Structures are given as structure tokens and as C-alpha cells.
Amino acid sequence: MNHFLDIHKTDTDQLRAMIDGARRMKAARGDRPRGAPDDQQPLAGRMVALIFEKPSTRTRVSFDLGVRQMGGQTMVLSGKEMQLGHGETIADTARVLSRYVDLIMIRTFEEATLLEMAEHATVPVINGLTNRTHPCQIMADVMTYEEHRGPIAGRKVVWCGDGNNVCASFLHAAGQFGFDFTFAGPPTLDPEGDFILYARDKGSRVHIERDPVAAVQGADLVVTDTWVSMHDPQSARERRHNQLRAYQVNEALMAQAKADALFMHCLPAHRDDEVTSAVMDGPHSVVFDEAENRLHAQKAVMRWCLGL
Ligand code: CP
Ligand code: NVA
């Protein structure tokens, strides 16, 4: 079963084929209207369930649009409105949905929910974000980097801020795609050790830096994300802001990276917290290309899941 659960759980050559396939599909669409079908309709007759237990703009719209462009249909389901939110087990939900749909994408809280869904589903399951990882985002980010600057292998990626779910998937990608990764943030918000060990075991040079200016020296790509993720308690907001303020990505910090460095953010951004508007809207930023590439990358992921 081709579940897409995490970047480190899929073979490198298959990830590479997905990125290349996404770029081919994007090029083949040219500038046709968003709602117009692709020339190829590999999802014709297929039904895809999109389950959200957390809010979403990009994941929801890009998956829905991607399925439609490839000729399939979607059902967008909110966890709260399903029996899942009222005591039915994840395993039973997986078994039932597998009788109705061909593919399940789920955005949830605990990673265990995703894994249980995958264990009991008889159709492929895609991780649309958990508290721990966000693999679809990083597929789009690798695609975006390579569109602008060529192969990401051997490049220096610097993460500024919270060592969160998006950071974790970047560490998986560092191992799989062969780039170096520097984390710049406070010790209380370091990424989990197993993500770091994975990347190092695969040969990536991973550094932990407390000084953001030192971290971004020679960076090819600077990345940040919100200081308070959807699963973080609001009560932690002020503490996190205080801890992370020194890691804001602003023009002075970007000036320390390579002259042609890119800036990425998975969005939604909190302008003038983790990143200034000057950087978001400035010459290094490719944040809206990343958002668009969610569409193309996930179309390739769905085709891979379904063997199409
Ligand atoms: N980047 C991302 O996953 O955005 P949404 O939360 O809007 O889906
Ligand atoms: N780290 C963020 C990413 C949102 C796409 C969160 O989990 O809320």
C-alpha cells in the first residue's frame, strides 16, 4: 500500500520521481484556467476523502483542486462533524471509508491517529499535517527551491524559529534529498532528536545554532514558520513570542545569507512576528510559489499513492 505518511518513509528515488512528475504536470498545464482539466485524467472515476481536524486554507484548496484537475471527485469532511469526533474508533472509520473512497487525506493532531488510519485503511492514506510532521509541504518546498535554483542537494538550508512539525519534515527531506540543515532557535524549542539523528545518519550535516546571525552565514535558503502552531496551547503564546523574537527573519538577517538566497514560509504567516513584511514581499521570497506548488506536488503524491 502506497501510503504517504512521511518523507523518511518513502524511497528517495520515488520522492525524486514525484518532484519531477509534479514539475512536468505543472508545465503541461501551461496557463490554462485553474478549473480546467489536465490533458490526462488519471483520477477519472476516483473519489478522495479530505478529512480536517484542524483549520486549513492551502491544504484544503490545493488537494480539492488537484483531484478535480485530474478528473476525480472529493469529499471534504470535518473531524468534528464525523462520528470520529464522537467516539467511533479511528480503525473503524478507516475500514468504513475504505469501502467508499479510493484515497484518504487526513490533517489531524496526534501522529498516532494518522498511523492508526493507515494501519486499518485498505486504501492509501496521505498525511496532511500532524503535530509532528507536514510532508506534503516540504515536497512543495523542495520543488520550489529547485524551480528557482536547481538541485537542492548540497545546499545550506537554515531554519529560524520553532523546531516544529514543518521543521521536522525539512530534516527528513535533508536526509532524503542530501542538503545541509542548520536550526537556529532557543534550546527549549529544538526539533526532536530523532529527526536530527535521521538526517545525520543519511549524511546530511545538521547544525544547531543559538545565534541567528551566525546560523544564516552562507545560507542558500532561509525558512521560518509561525511561533505558535495549531496544536500549541494559546497559554504558551506569550512565552513563545519572548523566546523566539530574536529569531525573526527580517531584512538585516536576510542580508547575512548568500546574495541569491531564497526565503520560504509554509504560510499562514504572522507578519512582523516570525517574518517582516519587507522579507515576505521582498526579492528573496518565494512564499506564494510554495503555496502554488502544494497543488502540483500533491497531484504527484496522489498519483504515486494510486499507482497512476
Ligand atoms: N501550509 C499549510 O499547510 O497551510 P494550511 O494550514 O492553510 O493548509
Ligand atoms: N506549524 C504550523 C504549520 C501550519 C501549516 C502548524 O502546525 O500550525
Side-chain angles (χ1 to χ4, degrees):
M1 184 72 65
N2 283 347
H3 296 307
F4 188 73
L5 300 179
D6 266 319
I7 285 182
H8 68 307
K9 292 183 176 169
T10 303
D11 290 348
T12 313
D13 56 345
Q14 296 184 24
L15 295 171
R16 170 50 61 197
M18 286 184 235
I19 301 277
D20 294 346
R23 290 186 68 176
R24 276 196 305 276
M25 278 190 283
K26 181 176 181 178
R29 277 194 70 78
D31 57 4
R32 72 184 67 180
R34 313 291 183 228
D38 288 346
D39 290 335
Q40 289 183 5
Q41 296 281 280
L43 264 61
R46 310 279 174 150
M47 179 61 77
V48 181
L50 306 174
I51 305 174
F52 290 92
E53 296 199 289
K54 288 174 176 168
S56 169
T57 297
R58 281 142 289 268
T59 305
R60 179 179 169 151
V61 177
S62 58
F63 265 104
D64 199 339
L65 180 61
V67 172
R68 293 179 199 216
Q69 288 183 348
M70 295 194 292
Q73 298 185 68
T74 58
M75 289 176 185
V76 182
L77 305 164
S78 111
K80 274 197 216 89
E81 288 159 10
M82 296 170 72
Q83 298 292 9
L84 186 60
H86 300 275
E88 186 167 23
T89 66
I90 296 149
D92 286 345
T93 305
R95 293 181 186 110
V96 170
L97 287 179
S98 300
R99 303 290 181 103
Y100 296 137
V101 304
D102 301 288
L103 180 62
I104 299 168
M105 190 289 310
I106 180 165
R107 165 170 287 194
T108 189
F109 289 86
E110 299 304 326
E111 183 177 58
T113 305
L114 170 79
L115 299 179
E116 200 175 337
M117 184 73 82
E119 187 184 339
H120 297 282
T122 55
V123 299
V125 173
I126 296 175
N127 176 359
L129 179 144
T130 69
N131 295 357
R132 285 194 91 213
T133 59
H134 194 5
C136 291
Q137 179 66 51
I138 302 322
M139 292 296 281
D141 292 357
V142 170
M143 176 181 172
T144 305
Y145 185 86
E146 296 195 334
E147 270 183 347
H148 284 270
R149 294 285 184 269
I152 199 167
R155 300 297 188 163
K156 176 178 175 178
V157 175
V158 179
W159 179 277
C160 290
D162 180 18
N164 64 13
N165 45 5
V166 179
C167 178
S169 286
F170 247 115
L171 278 160
H172 285 154
Q176 290 282 38
F177 291 98
F179 55 85
D180 295 332
F181 191 86
T182 298
F183 170 82
T188 46
L189 297 174
D190 279 349
E192 284 176 38
D194 54 345
F195 299 124
I196 297 170
L197 286 178
Y198 170 81
R200 283 188 176 145
D201 278 355
K202 295 278 282 186
S204 168
R205 283 178 296 188
V206 179
H207 299 287
I208 306 293
E209 262 289 351
R210 303 300 169 208
D211 175 2
V213 173
V216 299
Q217 301 300 316
D220 296 289
L221 170 61
V222 177
V223 195
T224 190
D225 186 14
T226 181
W227 289 341
V228 186
S229 283
M230 291 182 273
H231 60 275
D232 290 321
Q234 276 305 312
S235 56
R237 189 174 181 281
E238 194 178 335
R239 178 170 43 81
R240 284 175 157 270
H241 276 239
N242 289 337
Q243 289 174 322
L244 288 162
R245 199 158 287 125
Y247 298 93
Q248 181 192 64
V249 181
N250 50 38
E251 285 177 300
L253 191 65
M254 278 308 295
Q256 301 289 323
K258 279 191 184 159
D260 68 346
L262 296 179
F263 169 75
M264 288 192 190
H265 188 312
C266 66
L267 307 180
H270 302 80
R271 286 172 178 258
D272 301 317
D273 284 343
E274 71 269 11
V275 57
T276 58
S277 280
V279 170
M280 273 277 286
D281 303 325
H284 301 282
S285 175
V286 290
V287 297
F288 300 110
D289 292 337
E290 286 178 84
E292 177 184 340
N293 284 338
R294 292 291 302 278
L295 167 69
H296 307 295
Q298 289 158 190
K299 286 168 73 176
V301 169
M302 289 189 277
R303 289 184 76 159
W304 174 80
C305 287
L306 292 166
L308 300 167

